[in-house]
Amino acid sequence: MFFEVLSAINDPKKQASIDQLSQVTQSVQQLATSQGLNDTQMQSVMTALGGALQPVLKQKQPQLGGSQMATMLAQVAGSGKAGVLQSLVTPQLQQQLAATVAQKTGINAGIVQAMVPHLLPVVMGLFNMGSPKPGAVGGGGNPLLTAFLDSDRDGSTDLGDVMKFAGRFLNTPN
């Protein structure tokens, strides 16, 4: 999936930029630091969250349709509005996601519960990077969201790996 991130950054018709990728990785880092988690723990959280979030969004996509899903992603990513986030991922689903992540990572459920409402807008922001720019002719769909939802479960959509590679990409040695 990181290849799709890089492709979106290089596509002038897509929303993605290096600055946006940097904002996503910084947000994840700040949240990890605030909760006392190291990089490996946070990568595990992102992997587990992605694994739990994928079926939720897969189920929502046919209900909402592609354009409404894209609009909601953009709204959550742009504003982090709780109401929009809750219409996409209800508070009950957020609790289930947190429980699943805590179980898979072994990280305290209270910590994960506190992080999920902050991580979801960041993840939606990552997906939104694949959206066409407003007014872009021939911008097409969202390859990041498509890659995430249409995964054949070979691990290529692992959000933990995406964050790890993004960190490496953004912090290249001099």
Side-chain angles (χ1 to χ4, degrees):
M1 187 169 152
F2 189 66
F3 175 75
E4 281 84 6
V5 172
L6 292 178
S7 294
I9 288 171
N10 286 320
D11 186 343
K13 295 177 184 168
K14 300 294 179 196
Q15 299 269 349
S17 70
I18 291 175
D19 286 344
Q20 284 178 305
L21 183 60
S22 181
Q23 288 172 0
V24 166
T25 58
Q26 286 174 3
S27 295
V28 170
Q29 275 303 119
Q30 288 171 352
L31 192 55
T33 300
S34 74
Q35 297 298 325
L37 301 179
N38 64 36
D39 289 345
T40 303
Q41 290 171 310
M42 197 62 197
Q43 185 177 345
S44 295
V45 167
M46 294 301 290
T47 296
L49 180 61
L53 184 61
Q54 184 187 37
V56 171
L57 293 181
K58 262 186 167 175
Q59 184 179 14
K60 287 277 187 184
Q61 189 178 33
Q63 296 169 356
L64 296 172
S67 62
Q68 188 176 358
M69 181 93 140
T71 300
M72 291 177 88
L73 279 177
Q75 289 174 341
V76 171
S79 66
K81 288 184 180 173
V84 178
L85 176 61
Q86 289 176 6
S87 65
L88 194 57
V89 183
T90 65
Q92 295 82 4
L93 276 173
Q94 289 182 37
Q95 288 178 344
Q96 290 172 5
L97 289 172
T100 300
V101 170
Q103 181 183 19
K104 288 187 177 192
T105 62
I107 294 171
N108 178 291
I111 291 173
V112 176
Q113 189 76 38
M115 289 178 20
V116 165
H118 300 287
L119 281 175
L120 288 174
V122 173
V123 170
M124 301 305 165
L126 177 68
F127 296 153
N128 192 52
M129 288 173 58
S131 296
K133 285 183 179 174
V137 177
N142 183 333
L144 293 179
L145 186 60
T146 299
F148 183 73
L149 295 179
D150 293 342
S151 154
D152 55 5
R153 296 305 233 160
D154 66 356
S156 65
T157 62
D158 183 325
L159 291 180
D161 283 349
V162 170
M163 297 313 300
K164 177 178 71 176
F165 293 129
R168 288 181 184 170
F169 174 75
L170 294 167
N171 296 311
T172 54
N174 293 336

